Amino acid sequence: MKVDCHIPTKILFGAGRLNDLATVKLPGKKALIVISGGTSMHKYGYLRRVQELLAKQGVENVVFDKILPNPILDHVTEGAELARKEGCDFILGLGGGSSIDSSKSIAVMAKNPGNYWDYIGGGSGKGLFPKEGALPIVAITTTAGTGTEADPWTVITNGSEKIGTGWEFTFPVLSIVDPELMTSVPPHLTAYQGFDTLFHCTEGYIANIATPVSDALALKAIELIAKYLPRAVKDGGDMEARENVALANTLGGMVETFSSCTSEHSLEHALSAYYPKLPHGAGLIMISLPYYKFFQGKVAPERYAKMAEAMGEDVHSLPEDKRADAFISALEKLQKACGVDNLKMSDYGVKRDEMDKLATTAKETMGGLFDLDVYRLTHEDTVSILQEAYK
């Protein structure tokens, strides 16, 4: 057995850890702070606090505040130009996965020539290697969904192509995970983000490159999400729940680093590339039950049983040939407990006759994840899963 474990990120985890920004070693003296185009970073004072804490170390900052929920190529280009123009020597992503992912991509393009899509390996990308690396990245997450604070991955949309990529130098050098910054996330987004974390872990657990290290992290994170996500959705101020969901999220990023997502993420990326108002986590929820039902007969049954057990199911009281079913049951129960069991693609404008197009886009843009499934999905399989998921 050979296992590589490499996360070159210093992670400061826990309530109140944002304050450490005033004293922790930083990778430069002038930050480009990347935030969303929304109001939350201003409304809740997170941006002001970060600027004040940086100032205590004599670190200057410039703010780039245009990032969309599904970040786009144009804003990567614009942010990188601003970083170069202002002489920023590191990038600080503040907010959810979209802001931190964008900070990673901006950090690459602040040092490399050409178009960011030159360095993308899927779709219409050229698959070039960014030889100049990236500016150092600091991640301060205010949501618990993507795990991007503990992995090198970044997902950017270019037209109908929504593609993830990453290199060793797109790991943050420093990540701060402070659950106190997550209490302002509304219930529905708390649920969507929590299920994104869950699926990072369930996908990582059934991927064909899973290792004992990724398995241990995945099962613990699945346990935490099943136990604490309904509480965090019900009461955003429940700090025990927020802290444990945040921990699950960071563990999920580690799972993505040591294992991988699978084709479930490819399918969702196709959906939200065409329909960018669809939250990523919501799209995953829509796809999940048909997806995991399809793979139930393909994945070793003890893996489904162990995920069910992590979610609180008493699998040992069931006949051995029924234990895998308990994972599907647990997933259905968790969706109901979080109020996300009736999400509909049609509510976001998706049409039933688009499933063939979506399946094709998923394979063309994120085909690498199909290679990490234990069973190779055909085009017909992929269309069938999407059709079953459609409401």
Side-chain angles (χ1 to χ4, degrees), residues 224-240:
L224 292 173
I225 287 293
K227 183 175 181 179
Y228 290 104
L229 183 60
R231 283 175 51 179
V233 171
K234 183 178 180 180
D235 178 6
D238 181 338
M239 281 307 302
E240 182 184 22

Side-chain angles (χ1 to χ4, degrees), residues 54-72:
L54 290 175
K56 289 183 178 181
Q57 295 213 52
V59 174
E60 300 179 71
N61 72 87
V62 177
V63 176
F64 182 67
D65 61 355
K66 297 186 178 181
I67 304 305
L68 301 174
N70 281 301
I72 61 173

